Amino acid sequence: MTIAAIRAAFPVLSRAGFHYLDNAAMAQCPGTVVKAVAAHDLTARANVHRGLHELARRADEAYDGARERVAAFLSAGADEVVFTGGCTLALNIVALALEERMQAGDRIVVSAAEHHSNLLPWLAMARRKGLDVAVIPVNRDGRLDLSDLSMIDRRCKVVAVTHASNVTGAVTDIPRLAGAAHAVGAVLAVDGAQRLPHGPVDPRELGADFYAFAGHKTYGPTGIGVLWGRREALETLPPALWGGGMVAGLDGDVPIPLDPPARFEAGTPPVAQAVGLARALDWMAGLDWPAVRAHEAALTRRLLDGLAGRDGIRLVGPADLADRLPVVSFAVEGCHPHDLSHLLAERGVAVRGGAHCARPLMSALGLDEGCVRASLAPYNDETDVDALLSGLDHAIGVLR
Ligand SMILES: Cc1ncc(COP(=O)(O)O)c(C=O)c1O
């Protein structure tokens, strides 16, 4: 499939002079996804696992089918897939469910590259329970420094890391961390929000115990996320949230939770969004990923070279293409990232400027004002990269 054909599936990208490079914040949706969500609401809108009428049966089928689709994308079992309202919620569910087994003095290990979604829930739990938090540092290029993992010791109960940074695009060596975590009996929770949009993942093979991602970054609807949990890991966890649809009944006033995944889906789940996400994963599964990765790498190279060839630009993150996603951040001497992204937007180039919900990483990299991030998807092409580079020349000319 050509890039033009990939691009044609996304109606919003047909606008002339529009260059969408903010995919790490939210990817665009293929028209088929929008249609699938609308068709569901027009023909099968009902609550799930509760009703026996015709629409309820259709909704059950659609929702259960969506779970099977997600499971297949993760090479997992359907009972390992929990639908949530987003990646943040998925990570909070893991943290809340693990809290019961944590004792004062236990340790949680996170990395300095975490998005706040995979940091603040653990910090909040650490404050509540008197836990120790240790941080895996980053190198100058923003990659995790895994040279000394002695902090993952017997006190450590949870290692929570991102599969790929939303700022630098650096991909984490998850199998290495899984080995270190499991050697001391700790569980490994992985934030896959940025990695999953760039091709199928097998979290079990990686060694993760939990793996979370967001629908809206994987070409699907907003308001949905996924928590994958290794069956054995999910089964030992208590519910994190309480409500309808997740208990078999009550023994007096003691709730009897259902088995996973229902145990973790309190309340009405995001049904139409699950249908849309399944369609988005269908779209992803139809791509030739080696070809897409080669295309994304070539665009990343073009962008990195273009930025490196301009005065006063500091590249944030790895300069090489090994183990990195097409997420490119940079800072421009004398120009605030918000001013740059505003001036780029005026020229039809959508990027994001700021701290990217990753304050510890900004501090570690000495980027007090944040940075500009251009994040690519399979549908981007050279015209997008070149529009960014020429827009940047214009913006710098205005601001300096
Ligand atoms: C690495 C990472 N983790 C988590 C999230 C949060 O995901 P959500 O918006 O689905 O809560 C983001 C969003 O930008 C992210 O980039």
Side-chain angles (χ1 to χ4, degrees), residues 24-26 84-91 113-118 162-167 191-195 212-217 223-225 352 356-357 373:
M26 185 171 308
T84 72
C87 186
T88 301
L89 187 57
L91 292 163
E114 297 313 306
H115 186 280
H116 292 170
S117 299
N118 199 29
T162 191
H163 195 175
S165 161
N166 64 313
V167 176
D191 175 355
Q194 293 298 335
R195 169 59 187 82
F213 69 93
H216 67 270
K217 297 187 202 291
I224 184 155
R352 175 157 171 207
H356 309 283
C357 303
R373 178 184 70 190

Side-chain angles (χ1 to χ4, degrees), residues 32-334:
T32 51
V33 170
V34 180
K35 284 189 189 134
V37 173
H40 174 83
D41 272 337
L42 291 171
T43 61
R45 185 179 168 90
N47 217 318
V48 286
H49 305 154
R50 290 150 168 83
L52 295 173
H53 54 81
E54 185 197 339
L55 292 188
R57 276 190 285 109
R58 280 197 210 157
D60 283 354
E61 219 169 275
Y63 187 61
D64 297 343
R67 199 189 302 280
E68 299 274 354
R69 182 54 188 109
V70 174
F73 199 78
L74 299 174
S75 306
D79 57 350
E80 297 179 309
V81 172
V82 178
F83 284 122
T84 72
C87 186
T88 301
L89 187 57
L91 292 163
N92 273 271
I93 287 173
V94 179
L96 286 171
L98 284 169
E99 181 157 342
E100 207 175 83
R101 65 171 79 154
M102 305 297 285
Q103 310 280 343
D106 284 348
R107 169 174 281 181
I108 297 175
V109 172
V110 294
S111 89
E114 297 313 306
H115 186 280
H116 292 170
S117 299
N118 199 29
L119 174 67
L120 304 190
W122 304 109
L123 293 184
M125 177 162 101
R127 275 198 307 278
R128 284 193 298 270
K129 300 282 285 195
L131 310 177
D132 175 68
V133 178
V135 180
I136 300 170
V138 289
N139 293 326
R140 258 199 69 75
D141 67 357
R143 288 192 190 277
L144 298 202
D145 178 355
L146 303 183
S147 58
D148 176 9
L149 291 180
S150 58
M151 68 193 56
I152 304 180
D153 59 13
R154 284 272 153 208
R155 278 190 298 165
C156 174
K157 298 291 178 287
V158 180
V159 177
V161 287
T162 191
H163 195 175
S165 161
N166 64 313
V167 176
T168 66
V171 176
T172 308
D173 184 349
I174 297 298
R176 170 106 190 268
L177 288 168
H182 294 156
V184 296
V187 297
L188 178 65
V190 179
D191 175 355
Q194 293 298 335
R195 169 59 187 82
L196 209 84
H198 299 283
V201 167
D202 181 340
R204 182 181 288 271
E205 194 178 78
L206 285 172
D209 296 290
F210 303 101
Y211 193 95
F213 69 93
H216 67 270
K217 297 187 202 291
T218 43
Y219 321 100
T222 55
I224 184 155
V226 169
L227 170 62
W228 170 87
R230 210 161 38 79
R231 189 172 296 113
E232 310 81 316
L234 280 184
E235 274 165 1
T236 60
L237 283 191
L241 307 172
W242 298 89
M246 46 78 68
V247 290
L250 288 162
D251 181 5
D253 59 2
V254 180
I256 306 160
L258 287 169
D259 287 337
R263 185 188 300 174
F264 302 102
E265 293 185 358
T268 298
V271 183
Q273 291 87 342
V275 170
L277 176 59
R279 190 55 66 88
L281 297 184
D282 281 343
W283 174 79
M284 281 185 76
L287 297 182
D288 172 355
W289 280 100
V292 168
R293 289 211 181 91
H295 168 70
E296 288 182 340
L299 288 187
T300 306
R301 182 78 276 157
R302 188 180 184 98
L303 182 50
L304 288 172
D305 289 349
L307 291 170
R310 284 162 166 81
D311 282 342
I313 294 190
R314 174 181 161 197
L315 287 173
V316 178
D320 59 289
L321 294 182
D323 296 326
R324 66 120 68 222
L325 298 178
V327 173
V328 175
S329 295
F330 56 93
V332 181
E333 209 179 286

